[in-house]
Amino acid sequence: INNYGYLTWEWANGLRGYSYPLIFATIYKALQLLAKDDVQLLIWVPRLAQAVLAAFADVKLYSLVQHLENAETAKYVYFCQLCSWFTWYSCTRTLTNTMETLLTVFALSYYPIKGSKMGNSCKYLALIALAIVVRPTAVIPWIPLVFSHFLQEQRKADLILHNCIPVGLVTVGTSLIIDRVFFGEWVLVQLNFLKFNVLQNLGTFYGSHPWHWYFTQGLPVILGTHLPFFIHGCVLAPKRYRIFLMTVIWTVLVYSMLSHKEFRFIYPVLPFCMVFCGYSLKHLKAWKKSAASFLLLSNLVPALYTGLIHQRGSLDVMSHIQQLCSNSYQSQAFVFFMMPCHSTPFYSHVHCPLKMRFLQCPPDLTGNESYIDEADVFYSNPLGWLSKEFYNDTLLPSHLIFFNVLEQEISSFLAVKGYEKTATVFHTHLPQGRVGSHIHVYRKK
């Protein structure tokens, strides 16, 4: 939009599609044309847009349960959804996982489950297709659901010929055209994504966990104190909801087969779990009010802590960098983030063509077994790396940003090269490995 910025390695290798970012690019362009593209608006408007969509998804979930059950059960499902600390933490973040989850809820509201009066094959398939365009993994939870629908559907040929094929062709075709415009060549992003994460399993470059991680840590953590209600709800829920439980189990099993695991990957199954949690809460009778109070209070603390305090330094430090844009020093400034790669936002939180750099960590796609990324090379010998990289004083950055755990190790370099500390920003109460409790800002004298 502004003729500057940064594209990560995924874009160079066609692993990311332009369809989802195009939403925010359109917002940015509109702000630019209205001369309202203030940095704070660039930061907050995408989050607000995501929050509005999340609110609509919550209402859709309520409406679905109301049609399937009754207003009282819908109220408790809605309450459980709104209580979820992980929903609070994730729903306003502009991650593809978030949009995948929201589109999954929208699609679910039109899914022709037994007893639903809102079922619409074309609408729910279109929303699934859109979710797959945003993030190809969206297909995983829908495999058992679509298969179940297909088995129950009497007019199977009509479902395939009049719904599946037209919807698939339109959405994939639109995605192809959008990516063709921006990549400058024909790229099937979904196929590249599948190759990288499943066939080549290169996601392990960013860490791996044991197969049972989602069952022993992933799902219990994102459910939090909802877990006992989820289990209770699974026992109580009618047979027609077994397909929802199958979807949760199937999704977690499929993701368990991939070595690289993250909490956000199974975020799309959380709304399914909330249906069971709400069903449990509704049938507690004497303990209902106490259980609801427990759920609210036990989720409020982690929601507020993870949303407002934990790891906030990554965002707070950007306000210090942004100040460099408002003075004549901007053209000479050079900011270097000596942190684990992608620790902070980049140009969207600065909004000026400031020279910036961070430690790179792209995976090796050539099959070189001895490959080590820049970040790992740096952390293996920070002092040696800095001396070699900035052998000439004219190459030195004007500002260095790093976690406090690195300070002592590079203190001699900072002293010799004439750097002084200008700010210390709180980051987390739970420092771990390369991530410290505070972020330091150093400026060259």
Side-chain angles (χ1 to χ4, degrees):
I1 303 300
N2 297 286
N3 296 318
Y4 63 86
Y6 181 85
L7 288 176
T8 56
W9 66 269
E10 294 100 327
W11 297 95
N13 291 279
L15 262 72
R16 293 283 184 264
Y18 282 91
S19 301
Y20 180 48
L22 196 58
I23 298 170
F24 304 110
T26 304
I27 294 172
Y28 285 172
K29 190 64 180 179
L31 290 172
Q32 185 190 59
L33 293 173
L34 294 169
K36 299 290 184 183
D37 56 335
D38 176 76
V39 67
Q40 290 303 317
L41 285 177
L42 295 190
I43 293 170
W44 285 102
V45 169
R47 297 184 197 177
L48 290 171
Q50 202 77 58
V52 169
L53 286 172
F56 275 120
D58 291 343
V59 172
K60 277 289 187 183
L61 186 63
Y62 172 86
S63 181
L64 171 67
V65 180
Q66 186 181 29
H67 281 84
L68 290 174
E69 294 290 332
N70 50 57
E72 188 183 7
T73 306
K75 179 177 69 176
Y76 286 109
V77 171
Y78 190 55
F79 175 79
C80 289
Q81 172 72 356
L82 295 183
C83 276
S84 170
W85 79 270
F86 196 76
T87 298
W88 282 36
Y89 177 69
S90 304
C91 70
T92 61
R93 302 178 75 187
T94 52
L95 297 167
T96 52
N97 307 90
T98 302
M99 185 57 83
E100 175 190 0
T101 303
L102 302 184
L103 289 170
T104 294
V105 175
F106 288 133
L108 192 62
S109 68
Y110 295 109
Y111 179 74
I113 188 172
K114 187 179 179 181
S116 173
K117 298 174 184 178
M118 300 165 64
N120 186 309
S121 298
C122 188
K123 286 184 180 179
Y124 100 82
L125 288 169
L127 287 162
I128 295 170
L130 190 57
I132 293 169
V133 165
V134 170
R135 188 172 178 86
T137 52
V139 73
I140 296 170
W142 282 101
I143 289 174
L145 287 160
V146 173
F147 184 66
S148 175
H149 175 206
F150 181 76
L151 290 178
Q152 294 172 16
E153 181 63 50
Q154 293 180 345
R155 297 177 298 176
K156 292 179 172 58
D158 284 351
L159 179 65
I160 295 172
L161 296 174
H162 297 156
N163 291 295
C164 295
I165 293 176
V167 163
L169 288 175
V170 169
T171 49
V172 173
T174 304
S175 172
L176 270 171
I177 292 167
I178 290 171
D179 290 333
R180 172 70 178 83
V181 170
F182 291 99
F183 278 115
E185 59 183 342
W186 293 107
V187 177
L188 187 56
V189 169
Q190 291 75 26
L191 180 60
N192 292 341
F193 188 93
L194 178 70
K195 283 181 181 176
F196 180 86
N197 289 291
V198 179
L199 302 180
Q200 296 174 304
N201 200 22
L202 291 173
T204 54
F205 182 79
Y206 294 107
S208 60
H209 297 82
W211 70 268
H212 56 77
W213 187 84
Y214 282 121
F215 290 100
T216 56
Q217 295 181 55
L219 194 60
V221 166
I222 72 168
L223 278 172
T225 52
H226 284 77
L227 183 59
F229 299 95
F230 170 65
I231 296 169
H232 182 233
C234 290
V235 175
L236 289 180
K239 287 183 178 180
R240 61 177 171 165
Y241 293 126
R242 284 179 182 172
I243 186 62
F244 289 175
L245 181 58
M246 281 179 58
T247 299
V248 174
I249 295 170
W250 161 262
T251 303
V252 176
L253 277 172
V254 171
Y255 275 114
S256 295
M257 290 188 283
L258 300 175
S259 299
H260 181 58
K261 299 174 175 67
E262 294 185 36
F263 294 111
R264 62 188 175 97
F265 291 170
I266 56 169
Y267 180 30
V269 303
L270 198 56
F272 292 92
C273 296
M274 292 304 134
V275 173
F276 295 101
C277 294
Y279 207 86
S280 167
L281 202 58
K282 190 242 182 184
H283 288 84
L284 283 180
K285 296 179 181 178
W287 293 94
K288 197 175 293 183
K289 286 187 177 178
S290 300
S293 300
F294 167 72
L295 268 180
L296 179 61
L297 293 174
S298 61
N299 279 274
L300 188 62
V301 173
L304 291 174
Y305 181 74
T306 55
L308 299 174
I309 300 170
H310 182 57
Q311 295 185 345
R312 63 172 295 152
S314 296
L315 298 175
D316 291 346
V317 75
M318 297 309 291
S319 61
H320 293 273
I321 308 305
Q322 207 280 324
Q323 291 170 11
L324 298 173
C325 295
S326 58
N327 57 42
S328 56
Y329 183 61
Q330 177 194 322
S331 57
Q332 286 82 40
F334 172 23
V335 180
F336 184 27
F337 295 90
M338 297 190 297
M339 307 162 81
C341 57
H342 309 300
S343 289
T344 64
F346 222 42
Y347 284 102
S348 63
H349 283 54
V350 175
H351 194 34
C352 74
L354 191 67
K355 185 180 179 183
M356 296 194 294
R357 178 186 169 186
F358 62 89
L359 295 169
Q360 303 286 322
C361 61
D364 175 62
L365 301 177
T366 63
N368 180 8
E369 293 182 2
S370 61
Y371 171 77
I372 305 175
D373 66 58
E374 184 182 48
D376 283 340
V377 172
F378 169 81
Y379 279 105
S380 65
N381 182 10
L383 203 57
W385 189 94
L386 287 168
S387 299
K388 184 179 179 181
E389 187 74 11
F390 304 113
Y391 59 90
N392 190 320
D393 284 0
T394 58
L395 303 173
L396 287 169
S398 61
H399 291 75
L400 297 175
I401 319 292
F402 53 87
F403 284 114
N404 58 326
V405 291
L406 192 63
E407 187 175 39
Q408 188 174 357
E409 195 166 355
I410 63 169
S411 57
S412 59
F413 175 85
L414 298 172
V416 170
K417 300 300 182 181
Y419 283 95
E420 61 178 355
K421 190 189 299 182
T422 58
T424 297
V425 180
F426 169 77
H427 183 63
T428 180
H429 292 112
L430 304 167
Q432 186 178 21
R434 297 172 180 179
V435 178
S437 61
H438 290 76
I439 297 173
H440 293 323
V441 180
Y442 271 78
R443 182 185 66 193
K444 199 171 188 317
K445 298 176 185 177

